[in-house]
Amino acid sequence: QKEVEQDPGPLSVPEGAIVSLNCTYSNSAFQYFMWYRQYSRKGPELLMYTYSSGNKEDGRFTAQVDKSSKYISLFIRDSQPSDSATYLCAMSAASSASKIIFGSGTRLSIRP
Amino acid sequence: DTAVSQTPKYLVTQMGNDKSIKCEQNLGHDTMYWYKQDSKKFLKIMFSYNNKELIINETVPNRFSPKSPDKAHLNLHINSLELGDSAVYFCASSQIRGRTYNEQFFGPGTRLTVL
């Protein structure tokens, strides 16, 4: 079993829809939770970062962490075609914050 | 003004050859990383150097050897290339501040194809 599990998709939704992306994990030591966005043939770029449990909002994006269930989510409101990309969840433990474990990524397509 | 750059962008080579990928960052960070992303987009850390010292060394074949001549550069040398080495290799950098999360900035990737 991988430390971080993520549905690879692909996920296709119409423009304006609310998108929900999720990951589960097995390592209870994880404290830092991230979402990276990767456009085709580009490097990943950090979208959201959350420490421990709770919610964080940034514009149309909301990240949620439920440590009791070992489950994290990214919500995208009013989705745009420019949001079409692969979304990678990632996490690390406090003891080794630099060692980031990535999910396999969910490929998202927003239809105009 | 590229923050993290890699060369070459594409690398096509025969099995058994030796090749190197170069990475440079101009962000003034003290830590650099190499990741491998396979065909299923799974991104996995290989190595990390902090101030030219190896701090993360995942289970990778000895054929892979990172070299950090200074804080701004981390090169990856691969000996005796195999078909399974075909992947996209990403370099990243970050500034470590104690035992807390530090954002990693990724380069554009080097697409390696072994024939």
Side-chain angles (χ1 to χ4, degrees):
Chain A
Q1 183 192 5
K2 289 181 182 166
E3 279 189 284
V4 180
E5 298 277 1
Q6 184 175 8
D7 186 337
L11 182 62
S12 179
V13 301
E15 184 176 353
I18 295 175
V19 176
S20 171
L21 304 169
N22 312 293
C23 286
T24 59
Y25 63 95
S26 57
N27 189 345
S28 57
F30 288 145
Q31 293 275 22
Y32 303 107
F33 303 92
M34 297 137 265
W35 286 95
Y36 280 80
R37 179 175 60 195
Q38 185 176 20
Y39 290 113
S40 182
R41 309 236 165 204
K42 301 284 186 186
E45 55 180 352
L46 182 68
L47 194 59
M48 300 278 289
Y49 150 67
T50 310
Y51 171 69
S52 195
S53 281
N55 295 356
K56 187 171 186 178
E57 191 173 317
D58 184 1
R60 297 182 296 109
F61 299 88
T62 300
Q64 284 186 354
V65 175
D66 181 351
K67 289 193 71 180
S68 61
S69 303
K70 296 191 178 69
Y71 188 87
I72 71 170
S73 302
L74 177 71
F75 297 95
I76 307 174
R77 290 183 301 281
D78 187 24
S79 55
Q80 305 292 310
S82 59
D83 295 329
S84 297
T86 296
Y87 289 80
L88 301 152
C89 64
M91 41 202 84
S92 64
S95 59
S96 54
S98 297
K99 185 178 170 182
I100 296 178
I101 309 300
F102 282 86
S104 55
T106 299
R107 192 154 54 98
L108 173 66
S109 176
I110 309 296
R111 306 189 302 271
Chain B
D1 62 344
T2 304
V4 181
S5 59
Q6 296 178 228
T7 52
K9 193 168 183 179
Y10 299 96
L11 186 52
V12 181
T13 188
Q14 299 288 332
M15 241 181 359
N17 283 351
D18 302 340
K19 290 292 178 186
S20 291
I21 307 172
K22 294 186 176 182
C23 179
E24 177 181 0
Q25 55 96 2
N26 64 6
L27 297 167
H29 289 163
D30 62 2
T31 305
M32 296 183 73
Y33 311 79
W34 276 110
Y35 286 85
K36 179 181 179 181
Q37 188 170 47
D38 63 23
S39 57
K40 294 186 175 151
K41 292 286 192 180
F42 185 53
L43 189 64
K44 187 168 167 52
I45 191 165
M46 300 172 69
F47 302 102
S48 175
Y49 269 77
N50 173 257
N51 284 320
K52 302 191 338 179
E53 184 183 338
L54 185 66
I55 60 170
I56 295 174
N57 185 2
E58 291 298 285
T59 308
V60 299
N62 290 338
R63 299 181 294 102
F64 290 79
S65 54
K67 289 206 169 31
S68 181
D70 54 58
K71 281 196 326 180
H73 296 85
L74 181 63
N75 304 324
L76 182 65
H77 189 76
I78 315 171
N79 288 330
S80 303
L81 278 155
E82 299 178 357
L83 293 176
D85 298 332
S86 295
V88 182
Y89 292 84
F90 286 100
C91 177
S93 74
S94 71
Q95 181 65 31
I96 289 186
R97 296 183 182 87
R99 285 164 53 115
T100 185
Y101 166 73
N102 46 94
E103 180 180 354
Q104 294 184 17
F105 294 80
F106 284 79
T110 295
R111 187 171 294 270
L112 171 65
T113 303
V114 182
L115 303 175

